[in-house]
Amino acid sequence: QVQLVESGGGLVQAGGSLRLSCAASGRFVSINAMRWYRQAPGKQRELVASISSGGSTNYADSMKGRFTISRDNAKNTVYLQMNSLKPEDTSVYFCNADIRTTDYYTRGYWGKGTLVTVSS
């Protein structure tokens, strides 16, 4: 059974930094794209950043220059380095990945999320 487990959330003051991690475990063939989403209370889940298996990255406009997504394929882990955090970055951050579990089947998996709270 494939699992994604996030870690690294917590409470930080505005202007501070946090690094989130998300590790995939279980039986699978490979991991394609990996993504970070976030969802603030009362709001829809939004895409923060994505990274392909080859390392190509994309960011939501509001995160460009502040957040950096990276991955370690040997560890099946994706990271999100968040700098210059703002109170409006307060959200639950979710990891998502397209995981190939057999030669012919790929599906998306979600982690349970990690809470990031930015105080003013």
Side-chain angles (χ1 to χ4, degrees):
Q1 186 174 358
V2 176
Q3 283 189 317
L4 295 175
V5 179
E6 302 97 335
S7 61
L11 175 64
V12 64
Q13 287 189 331
S17 299
L18 280 177
R19 188 193 194 207
L20 306 183
S21 300
C22 171
S25 62
R27 295 187 64 181
F28 51 86
V29 175
S30 61
I31 304 175
N32 297 337
M34 303 185 82
R35 308 171 189 88
W36 286 99
Y37 285 79
R38 70 183 187 183
Q39 187 168 18
K43 295 189 176 181
Q44 287 190 328
R45 192 170 296 190
E46 62 174 345
L47 178 64
V48 173
S50 65
I51 185 167
S52 71
S53 57
S56 297
T57 59
N58 281 289
Y59 298 90
D61 287 343
S62 61
M63 286 69 157
K64 287 180 180 177
R66 298 191 301 124
F67 291 7
T68 302
I69 189 172
S70 61
R71 64 191 286 172
D72 184 334
N73 291 332
K75 295 182 179 180
N76 298 316
T77 299
V78 63
Y79 305 96
L80 185 68
Q81 178 67 44
M82 305 186 294
N83 299 327
S84 303
L85 283 162
K86 305 174 182 179
E88 51 264 42
D89 293 318
T90 295
S91 291
V92 178
Y93 285 73
F94 297 91
C95 175
N96 168 265
D98 297 332
I99 297 179
R100 188 180 181 190
T101 53
T102 72
D103 286 345
Y104 307 105
Y105 186 64
T106 300
R107 57 156 281 194
Y109 288 85
W110 289 91
K112 294 183 178 180
T114 186
L115 177 62
V116 172
T117 303
V118 184
S119 63
S120 57

